[in-house]
Amino acid sequence: MTTVERGFPPDHASAPGHFPGNPIIPGALLLSEVLRAIEMDLGNTLCPFQIKSAKFLHPVRPGDRVLIEFSRSDGRKIKFSCVAAGIEVLAGEVALLDPRAEGS
């Protein structure tokens, strides 16, 4: 299992518009950080890949620090989980696709 920590500063660019008066970090941004952390650990791009599941369980707020944990569950699947302030905020799985299968 690999663990990476990411922070979202209180003045994060997405905060003012998502949502005014009740800012949260967009799920797409959180998921993007998970994918980047996995790619950095692999030392390679995930492409082609498929997001098999992604459950957003609790909002992440500007100023939160998120622990991203991931591990390969078999040769091509990577399970991930994100925790902020001791609360699981995102869980899911990514599958690495066989590039030879493209177009078949």
Side-chain angles (χ1 to χ4, degrees):
M1 170 125 1
T2 302
T3 302
V4 177
E5 187 174 13
R6 291 284 192 266
F8 297 96
D11 61 347
H12 192 277
S14 68
H18 200 271
F19 296 96
N22 187 24
I24 64 171
I25 298 300
L29 177 59
L30 184 56
L31 186 57
S32 174
E33 288 297 318
V34 169
L35 298 174
R36 284 182 11 162
I38 293 170
E39 285 181 332
M40 288 180 68
D41 185 67
L42 293 175
N44 198 358
T45 181
L46 286 174
C47 291
F49 72 95
Q50 179 181 32
I51 298 170
K52 298 297 249 178
S53 66
K55 289 191 176 218
F56 297 90
L57 305 167
H58 194 272
V60 174
R61 305 273 178 202
D64 283 353
R65 298 207 60 77
V66 176
L67 291 177
I68 303 168
E69 296 184 337
F70 54 91
S71 63
R72 284 195 174 192
S73 57
D74 70 21
R76 303 199 80 60
K77 293 181 184 172
I78 300 170
K79 291 188 179 210
F80 61 85
S81 175
C82 298
V83 175
I87 299 169
E88 188 172 34
V89 296
L90 172 60
E93 183 178 76
V94 175
L96 304 173
L97 301 178
D98 185 346
R100 296 169 295 183
E102 291 289 302
S104 37

